[in-house]
Amino acid sequence: MEGLAKFPPRPTGAGDMFQLFRDGAPRTRASLVTETGQSRSTVAARIDALRSIGLLAPAGEATSTGGRPPSTFAFDPASHLAMGVDLGATHARIAVTDLAAEPITMIDEPLAIADGPDRVLTWVAETGRKLVAQTGREMEDLVGIGIGLPGPVDHRTGRPVNPPIMPGWGDSDVPAELFARLGAPVMVDNDVNIMALGEHRTTAPDVDDLLFVKVATGIGAGVIMDGHLRRGAQGAAGDLGHIAVPGPADIPCRCGNTGCLEAVAGGGAIAARLRQQGIAVETTQDIVDLVRSGDVAAGQAVRQAGRDIGSVLAASVSLLNPARIVVGGILAGAGEHLMAGIREVVYQRSLPLATRDLRITPSEAGAPAGVVGAATLVTEQYLAPSSVETLITAKEVM
Ligand SMILES: [Zn+2]
C-alpha cells in the first residue's frame, strides 16, 4: 500500500514545481502545499526562486474566506522571448514569440533556400533582429531560436543531411552559424516536425498521441507520442514518404528505391498521372486548384493518392495507436477527396481497438504552425525542469 500511496511521484524541485504552472492557472502558496505535498517554507522558497528568474509573477489575490486574501502566482510567458523560423523551398517565415510560443510579431517573405546557408542565415539574423526590436525588447531577452529546414536534419548536430532541395546546405553547421549571428542557442529540425509541434500546440494540446502527415510534393510525418515529439535515433522518425506502398508499384523514387509512397502519391506523381490523361498540370498547387474547380479526374487521382497514403498510415496506426491523425501540406487543401481516401483505407485496414477513438482531420493550424512549432522547440527546452533548475542556480551564484 505504501508504494501505491506514493504514486504519482510528487514534484521534488523548483523546476518540477514550475511545470504545474504551465497550464496558465494562478496558484496560491496554500494550494501548492496541497498539490505538491511540500512544506509551506519549501513552497515559499521555490516561488521566490522562480520569481527571481522571471518565470513566475504575482497574479492578484485569491478570494478570501476571511482575513487577508492570499496572493496568487502564475507563469509569466512575457518574461522572455523565443524566435521561430520556418524555411521552405521558396518562402521564409519568422515569428518572435513569448515563452508560451505565442507569436508577438511575424513576417512572411519569399526567399529561395537554394541561395545557400550564408545568404539565407544572414537574412534570418537581420530580419530576426528587426522583429525583436519591433517588440520593444532587447536581444538579451531572447532565450533561443528554433528553425525548421525543408530537408532531413541530424537531430544531434542540427546539420542538414543530403537535403535534396537545399543545394549548398549539406552538413552545414546551422546552429553555430546562426549562434554567431544572433548570440542565442539554436535548435534545428525538419519542417514536418515543426509543423507537427505547431499543430499540436495550437489545435490539439490535450491529444498526447498524434501523427501529423504533410502531403505535398513530398510526404512526411511528425510523430508526437506521450505529448512529446519523437525523432528516433538520428531524427529520421516519421519519414513515411519512402515506405513502400503495398501492391504492384515499380515507379522509381528519387531515393533510389521503387514504389515509395512519395513516388506513388506525392504531388509530382499525381501531376504525372494527370498529364498522361492529357490534363495540363505543373505544380502541386495546380492539382489543388483543379480539384477545387470540380475536375473529376483530378478529384479521383487525389482520392487514390489518399488511399495509398492510408495504406501506409494503417501500418503506422497499428504500430503507434495515435488518437489523432492530422493531415496538412498543400494537398490537404484539396479537401475531402484526400481525406476520404485516407479514412477509407485506414479504417478498413486497422484493428477496431486502434481506430475506435481515432480521428483523422485536416490541419487547422494554418500557415503559422511552422513558426509556432519552431518556437516550441526552444520553449520546451528552456522551461524543462532541469533547465529551470540550472537558471535558478546561475541566478543564485550571480
Ligand atoms: Zn523513395
Side-chain angles (χ1 to χ4, degrees), residues 132-346:
V132 170
Q134 268 177 29
T135 67
R137 307 283 291 267
E138 304 293 330
M139 286 301 287
E140 288 71 42
D141 293 332
L142 185 67
V143 301
I145 300 133
I147 177 166
L149 300 176
V153 173
D154 183 326
H155 179 63
R156 293 164 308 173
T157 62
R159 293 169 184 247
V161 182
N162 300 324
I165 63 163
M166 299 171 63
W169 287 78
D171 205 34
S172 95
D173 195 349
V174 175
E177 292 289 326
L178 212 46
F179 180 83
R181 288 167 170 85
L182 284 170
V186 178
M187 300 181 70
V188 192
D189 214 324
N190 69 62
D191 54 346
V192 186
N193 277 349
I194 62 165
M195 286 169 81
L197 276 175
E199 186 78 34
H200 182 246
R201 165 152 296 272
T202 315
T203 69
D206 310 335
V207 179
D208 282 344
D209 303 294
L210 177 149
L211 276 184
F212 177 87
V213 186
K214 179 190 173 190
V215 188
T217 308
I219 298 175
V223 181
I224 289 173
M225 288 282 126
D226 305 318
H228 295 281
L229 184 67
R230 301 300 182 196
R231 300 181 175 88
Q234 264 74 41
D239 205 349
L240 290 186
H242 302 280
I243 295 178
V245 178
D250 54 2
I251 303 171
C253 178
R254 60 180 169 84
C255 74
N257 283 319
T258 57
C260 293
L261 180 61
E262 193 169 297
V264 173
I270 299 172
R273 208 168 304 142
L274 291 173
R275 281 196 294 272
Q276 279 171 9
Q277 298 176 46
I279 300 167
V281 281
E282 289 291 331
T283 65
T284 306
Q285 186 61 47
D286 292 343
I287 302 168
V288 174
D289 295 343
L290 266 182
V291 172
R292 283 194 179 147
S293 74
D295 186 277
V296 174
Q300 282 171 347
V302 167
R303 188 169 180 128
Q304 182 54 44
R307 290 189 191 103
D308 292 329
I309 294 164
S311 69
V312 167
L313 279 178
S316 310
V317 166
S318 298
L319 195 62
L320 301 171
N321 187 202
R324 182 86 60 89
I325 295 176
V326 179
V327 183
I330 297 176
L331 268 173
E336 273 309 301
H337 291 278
L338 184 74
M339 300 304 298
I342 293 175
R343 287 192 185 112
E344 184 185 316
V345 176
V346 169

Side-chain angles (χ1 to χ4, degrees), residues 378-396:
V378 174
T379 57
E380 283 302 302
Q381 172 137 325
Y382 187 76
L383 300 177
S386 59
S387 158
V388 171
E389 298 286 353
T390 305
L391 291 168
I392 289 170
T393 308
K395 190 83 185 176
E396 282 165 353

